[in-house]
Amino acid sequence: MDEHGEYLLRFIYVYVKDWSTAEDILQEVIVAYYLKSHQFESRSSLKTYLSKMAINRCHDHLRSWKNRRIVFSDAMTQWISSSKSTEKTYEHQVVRSDLIKNVMELPITYREAIILYYYQQLTMKEISELLACPENTIKTRLRRAKRLLKNKTDSSEWEGFQDEQI
C-alpha cells in the first residue's frame, strides 16, 4: 500500500471520476491482493498485477447499477497541474481543463488508452499486456481517440498531438 497506493488511487480515479469511489475500489483491490497474494506468480511486476486488478474492479463498477452519474471534478486538474506562479498555473489549468474534460468524456476503451499512453507513459506492449488485447488494438484505439479529441478541442490545445505518429 505504501509503495503503490497513491499511484493506484490516481489510476482508479481516472476510470471512475470520483475520489470516494476510487478509495473504495482501492481498498477492495488491496484486500483482494492480501487474501490472494499467494496466487501472484511474479510473471510481471507487483505494480502491473495490482493495476490489472484495479482495472477489473473499475470495469465491474462502471457496469454496475450504482454507477448512475458521471462527475468531472476539478481535482483531476489539480492532480495534473504543476507548481508554477499563480498566473501561469491558472492559465495552464484553463487550457488543460478543456482537454482533460474532453478526454474524460471519451468512451472507456479510448479513455484508458489515452490515459495509459500519455499520462502513465506506458509502452504499447505494456498497455496491451495490462488490458489483455493485441498491440494493434491499442494503436487503433489511440488513433480513434485522437480523432475524436481533435474534433472536440481547440487547435491550440491540439498542437502536442498533431505531429505524433502512432
Side-chain angles (χ1 to χ4, degrees):
M1 180 67 180
D2 293 335
E3 190 173 339
H4 303 295
E6 184 177 338
Y7 163 80
L8 287 171
L9 181 60
R10 290 180 178 179
F11 184 73
I12 294 167
Y13 175 76
V14 168
Y15 275 87
V16 297
K17 302 178 210 170
D18 181 50
W19 281 110
S20 61
T21 304
E23 290 169 345
D24 291 342
I25 292 174
L26 175 62
Q27 185 175 3
E28 290 174 17
V29 168
I30 297 300
V31 169
Y33 174 72
Y34 179 75
L35 295 174
K36 299 179 181 183
S37 61
H38 62 280
Q39 293 177 350
F40 178 57
E41 298 175 359
S42 299
R43 287 187 282 171
S44 64
S45 69
L46 179 59
K47 183 177 179 180
T48 304
Y49 183 73
L50 291 172
S51 297
K52 182 64 178 175
M53 289 176 69
I55 287 172
N56 291 336
R57 295 287 175 149
C58 289
H59 285 178
D60 291 344
H61 170 74
L62 292 172
R63 281 182 287 216
S64 73
W65 65 272
K66 292 179 187 177
N67 185 34
R68 285 179 254 143
R69 64 184 180 100
I70 297 175
V71 178
F72 180 79
S73 172
D74 290 337
M76 183 69 175
T77 306
Q78 293 172 358
W79 173 57
I80 292 176
S81 70
S82 59
S83 58
K84 300 177 184 175
S85 72
T86 306
E87 293 169 357
K88 288 189 179 203
T89 300
Y90 178 74
E91 290 173 12
H92 180 71
Q93 286 178 347
V94 168
V95 170
R96 297 290 304 246
S97 67
D98 288 338
L99 181 59
I100 293 167
K101 181 180 178 194
N102 290 332
V103 168
M104 297 303 277
E105 290 174 351
L106 291 172
I108 187 71
T109 55
Y110 300 145
R111 185 181 344 139
E112 67 189 1
I114 290 286
I115 297 296
L116 293 172
Y117 187 75
Y118 290 105
Y119 292 108
Q120 302 296 330
Q121 297 180 345
L122 298 177
T123 65
M124 294 288 182
K125 184 177 181 182
E126 291 171 329
I127 297 171
S128 70
E129 290 172 2
L130 196 60
L131 299 178
C133 61
E135 283 185 56
N136 286 334
T137 302
I138 302 302
K139 290 178 185 178
T140 301
R141 287 178 183 177
L142 280 170
R143 227 180 355 259
R144 289 178 181 170
K146 284 174 55 176
R147 189 177 322 126
L148 289 171
L149 285 173
K150 185 175 184 180
N151 295 335
K152 290 182 175 186
T153 57
D154 182 24
S155 61
S156 64
E157 294 176 37
W158 187 250
E159 291 174 355
F161 293 114
Q162 67 187 9
D163 297 328
E164 186 175 319
Q165 295 291 321
I166 300 233

